């Protein structure tokens, strides 16, 4: 049975380029591997980050900016 993010009630299938960025200390992201697989998304796990600190992390920006640049070219 799917749990956490993968158990989200909305359909996860998408053709839109998608990236999930999560902190490894965030309990909300349980099921993140399954959710990323269902979306066909790239998954980035930031060390020592939680639900609040992930967005302010340098690693978030380092992952998101190249991803967004590539997505614009699609």
């Amino acid at each position: 049975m799917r749990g956490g993010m993968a158990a989200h009630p909305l359909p996860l299938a998408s053709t839109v380029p998608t990236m999930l960025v999560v902190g490894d200390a965030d309990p909300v992201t349980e099921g993140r591997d399954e959710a990323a697989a269902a979306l066909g998304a790239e998954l980035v796990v930031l060390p020592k980050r939680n639900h609040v600190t992930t967005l302010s992390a340098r690693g978030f920006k380092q992952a998101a900016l190249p991803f967004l640049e590539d997505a614009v070219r699609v």
Side-chain angles (χ1 to χ4, degrees), residues 3-28:
M5 292 176 72
H8 193 280
L10 298 175
L12 292 177
S14 176
T15 59
V16 176
T18 305
M19 172 186 276
L20 299 179
V21 183
V22 301
D24 70 351
D26 186 351
V28 174

Side-chain angles (χ1 to χ4, degrees), residues 21-29 32 44-61:
V21 183
V22 301
D24 70 351
D26 186 351
V28 174
T29 65
R32 61 187 173 226
V44 177
V45 181
L46 300 179
K48 301 180 184 176
R49 293 295 176 159
N50 62 37
H51 196 70
V52 175
T53 62
T54 296
L55 289 177
S56 63
R58 180 183 311 256
F60 174 81
K61 296 167 198 70

